[in-house]
Amino acid sequence: MKRLFTISLIITLILCSVFCIPANAAEVAKTETTIEYLENGDYIETTITYFETNTRAATKSGSKTSNYKNSDGETMWSVTVNGTFTYNGTTSSCTSVSRSASASGSGWSIKSSSCTKSGNCASATATASYKKGLISYDKSATVNLYCSPYGILS
């Protein structure tokens, strides 16, 4: 009888640890990545990261990063937009936006960056400068993160 009780208790604890989720469970990040190849062999790797929560609140947070990489796969520079949105099945709206930009490639630096929000869009723009010897040029990029009326980020 005592053994049956012990086994029942162990099974209950295992099932509870597998199926019981605390009310304040942490957000779970999910990502989607696309790649756009450029004529010179470089490419742009864009990743959307969004967060699934166990709350019923009609808000969604996420980020979209474009990494500009050379043909060897090394990141030259990147720009990220972070956005928080509300949605209700009919409309959606961006409630906050922030951005970051960095340059890690040899000869690259970030010249400027900015962000805006409008309607259901969070947007970040960055200009990166390349300078090596007599060669110098600027590249600009804008990253837009949209939220659908159903909370789907794209």
Side-chain angles (χ1 to χ4, degrees), residues 65-128:
T65 301
S66 285
N67 293 303
Y68 292 77
K69 298 187 172 193
N70 64 19
S71 57
D72 294 328
E74 299 166 337
T75 300
M76 298 177 286
W77 65 286
S78 64
V79 58
T80 299
V81 63
N82 304 295
T84 301
F85 303 86
T86 58
Y87 60 95
N88 61 16
T90 304
T91 62
S92 62
S93 179
C94 181
T95 58
S96 70
V97 63
S98 64
R99 86 330 185 152
S100 64
S102 63
S104 56
S106 177
W108 287 94
S109 64
I110 299 298
K111 189 174 188 177
S112 65
S113 68
S114 63
C115 62
T116 59
K117 63 178 180 165
S118 177
N120 68 335
C121 179
S123 181
T125 300
T127 300

